Amino acid sequence: MSEPLAFAMPTSPAGDGGVSRLTERALQGLLRERGWRAATAALCTELTLALGCRRVALGWRVDGRVRVVGLSHGAQLAEHPVLGGVAEAMQEAMGQGLTLCVPRVADGAVRITLAQRALIKREGVAAVLTVPLAQDGEVLGALLCERDDGRFTPIDIIAMEDVARTVAPLLRLLHEGELSWRQRWQRSWREWVAADDPRTRRLRQAGLGIAGLMLVALMAVPLPHRVQANARVEGAEQRGLTAPLDAYLRQLHVRPGDFIKKGQVLAQLSDEDLRQQARSREAEVAQHDNAFVDAFTKGERSQAAQAQARAAEARAQLALVEQQLARTRITAPFDGVVIAGDLSQRLGAPLKRSDLLFTVSPMTGWRVVLEVDERQITWVQTGQVARLLLTALPSQPVELKVQRITPVARTVDGRQRYEVVADPVGQPPAGWRPGLQGVARIELPPEPLGWRWGREAWQAWRWASWSWF
């Protein structure tokens, strides 16, 4: 087997001039383009033209593997099925950390060139030269040159080694400039793990010790466990006031948020038609009374009885109309607050019987409704303690006690939530009123954080596996 060159040889002044010119052209090609891909392609093209090669390829170590990242003349990487052999030849040179040239220039040293010779046989080229790219003792990649006729001379080899030493730092800077934050973090982590200096070893040992202590704490130390839910304050009793008949809304005296007194008029419906009916019924009553008196005076008892019956019927109809007139005034059934029913935009609009006009609530009793996510509802039990913090009263947390869990869910913001009813423990602070909203935390039995995360992860996996498979 023939051996490749060891390359520890002096150069002539002419050779020095050749080396400097090749390096200058390589730098011009590398710095002429912007971006990693364009710069590597330009570098390979300049080297191909300067050395008279068939093709020049640039390989780079990515995630522990050598990948061809640049080809001369702007060739597309995906269109070259032979790149696997090129990468193997580059890996052979990078693994040995030496420049490999086939056919060799005799120097008495033995080098492994199996992948280089396999590439020559596969591609039918006359010579292959592979030069590793290294910086500070770290092999970053390799340059591989293929020539159709003739061999690579010692001057060519020394020139390529000078190019490799010069462009390796620049290529590294270009490559690192296009890495994402995740790739940079992964590379830094691998470098830190692979480092073997005493200071790094001590840091690794300390980090492993801290991680072990944290794991033990997560699995063994019970921590408070809470279920968080949106909450709203409601009156213990709420009453809806509806339209008693078909009519028009004539006057409005209150709006949501207003405090009301028992018997206070909240709204007035139109009553012109009812008043006209009342006057008509009054006239009928007077007419039948006169007929009764006239018949009774004449001694016509049958006619008197008929007139008396008709008068009674007219009085009943008059009483019904007067009752309907009284119901056109919507009054407060108790002292409290209006929590719903803004009719200011419906003045003069027609209302149908049983249309909801107002929702009122007394100021004597309270309850809090918690909206618990369906994934956490199984953890909530009656009798558990909760703490509520209202948006309007952030400095006055209130203790609650769960009283009832409703069995029906409703959709809130695209998620299913169950309503949990809780009552305040003791007297609520001043300023409470129906409609206030806040956040409540239901206290659950303490448990280690690791067990909690593990249970939630297991439930998520069970749900996903059941849904997907």
Side-chain angles (χ1 to χ4, degrees):
M1 180 183 294
S2 58
E3 296 83 6
L5 182 64
F7 313 122
M9 55 178 9
T11 59
S12 63
D16 290 340
V19 171
S20 62
R21 285 195 298 271
L22 182 61
T23 304
E24 181 179 356
R25 290 192 61 175
L27 289 174
Q28 289 176 353
L30 183 62
L31 300 177
R32 183 171 60 246
E33 301 291 341
R34 291 186 178 181
W36 167 251
R37 296 289 183 183
T40 55
L43 171 63
C44 294
T45 302
E46 289 294 336
L47 293 176
T48 301
L49 298 176
L51 294 176
C53 296
R54 173 191 178 187
R55 180 173 60 193
V56 175
L58 172 64
W60 200 258
R61 189 186 300 277
V62 180
D63 297 332
R65 298 175 55 189
V66 179
R67 297 183 181 178
V68 180
V69 296
L71 289 175
S72 55
H73 302 296
Q76 298 296 321
L77 298 178
E79 298 177 1
H80 286 262
V82 300
L83 293 184
V86 174
E88 292 177 359
M90 293 178 176
Q91 181 65 55
E92 188 177 61
M94 294 170 60
Q96 300 176 75
L98 296 171
T99 300
L100 301 181
C101 180
V102 178
R104 69 176 180 83
V105 177
D107 66 334
V110 178
R111 300 291 185 270
I112 300 174
T113 59
L114 298 178
Q116 318 293 318
R117 297 182 183 280
L119 182 62
I120 289 177
K121 184 177 180 180
R122 181 186 303 173
E123 291 296 296
V125 295
V128 171
L129 172 64
T130 307
V131 182
L133 297 168
Q135 182 184 14
D136 299 331
E138 180 183 0
V139 180
L140 306 174
L143 284 168
L144 186 143
C145 306
E146 300 175 359
R147 182 171 284 178
D148 284 331
D149 54 347
R151 301 185 175 187
F152 289 100
T153 66
I155 296 300
D156 295 334
I157 298 171
I158 294 175
M160 282 297 299
E161 289 183 333
D162 185 65
V163 169
R165 286 191 297 269
T166 304
V167 302
L170 296 177
L171 287 172
R172 186 172 193 172
L173 288 176
L174 287 174
H175 183 256
E176 291 179 351
E178 294 193 358
L179 291 178
S180 64
W181 67 268
R182 182 171 59 86
Q183 293 172 324
R184 295 181 184 179
W185 182 86
Q186 291 176 346
R187 189 191 61 182
S188 300
W189 171 256
R190 288 194 296 267
E191 292 176 352
W192 184 78
V193 171
D196 198 32
D197 58 284
R199 180 173 179 273
T200 304
R201 283 199 302 269
R202 289 194 297 269
L203 288 175
R204 281 201 297 262
Q205 293 171 357
L208 290 175
I210 294 174
L213 291 176
M214 292 180 61
L215 181 60
V216 172
L218 287 176
M219 301 303 296
V221 178
L223 296 176
H225 187 196
R226 304 179 181 91
V227 171
Q228 184 170 309
N230 294 330
R232 66 180 184 273
V233 178
E234 295 181 353
E237 176 188 352
Q238 293 185 6
R239 184 174 300 183
L241 304 181
T242 60
L245 44 84
D246 296 343
Y248 291 90
L249 180 62
R250 190 172 69 183
Q251 292 180 348
L252 180 68
H253 301 290
V254 294
R255 293 186 179 182
D258 291 348
F259 292 96
I260 57 177
K261 296 292 185 179
K262 183 177 180 180
Q264 178 182 345
V265 178
L266 308 182
Q268 176 68 52
L269 305 181
S270 61
D271 58 357
E272 289 79 5
D273 294 341
L274 293 175
R275 292 186 181 278
Q276 180 65 30
Q277 292 180 23
R279 287 193 292 268
S280 176
R281 298 304 179 190
E282 290 175 353
E284 288 182 10
V285 170
Q287 180 182 358
H288 292 311
D289 286 342
N290 292 335
F292 169 76
V293 172
D294 184 57
F296 185 79
T297 303
K298 294 180 179 180
E300 298 175 353
R301 294 188 178 184
S302 61
Q303 293 182 1
Q306 291 177 2
Q308 189 178 18
R310 293 191 186 98
E313 181 181 358
R315 287 191 180 90
Q317 293 177 350
L318 177 61
L320 178 61
V321 173
E322 290 176 346
Q323 183 181 7
Q324 291 178 342
L325 275 172
R327 293 173 63 186
T328 59
R329 296 161 53 90
I330 310 300
T331 59
F334 44 69
D335 295 346
V337 62
V338 180
I339 61 176
D342 188 359
L343 304 177
S344 59
Q345 304 298 320
R346 299 189 61 184
L347 287 174
L351 299 175
K352 291 186 177 181
R353 184 176 182 179
S354 75
D355 282 353
L356 182 63
L357 302 180
F358 303 101
T359 303
V360 296
S361 175
M363 301 293 291
T364 55
W366 308 98
R367 72 171 188 174
V368 180
V369 179
L370 315 180
E371 298 176 351
V372 181
D373 191 272
E374 62 177 346
R375 296 174 298 179
Q376 301 173 328
I377 191 62
T378 56
W379 303 344
V380 181
Q381 304 293 332
T382 57
Q384 290 176 335
V385 177
R387 292 179 63 84
L388 169 67
L389 195 65
L390 296 174
T391 305
L393 303 171
S395 60
Q396 302 180 30
V398 178
E399 186 174 346
L400 307 174
K401 188 175 182 180
V402 176
Q403 298 294 338
R404 186 168 61 91
I405 302 173
T406 59
V408 180
R410 64 189 188 95
T411 303
V412 179
D413 298 331
R415 300 191 66 89
Q416 293 295 107
R417 302 184 186 275
Y418 285 83
E419 291 189 350
V420 176
V421 179
D423 292 339
V425 177
Q427 183 66 26
W432 268 47
R433 63 177 59 188
L436 293 181
Q437 297 185 354
V439 176
R441 292 179 176 178
I442 304 174
E443 300 290 340
L444 302 180
E447 63 177 347
L449 196 59
W451 289 106
R452 190 189 316 167
W453 289 348
R455 182 181 65 250
E456 294 177 358
W458 171 250
Q459 291 177 350
W461 164 249
R462 288 283 296 172
W463 172 255
S465 61
W466 180 266
S467 302
W468 298 341
F469 307 109

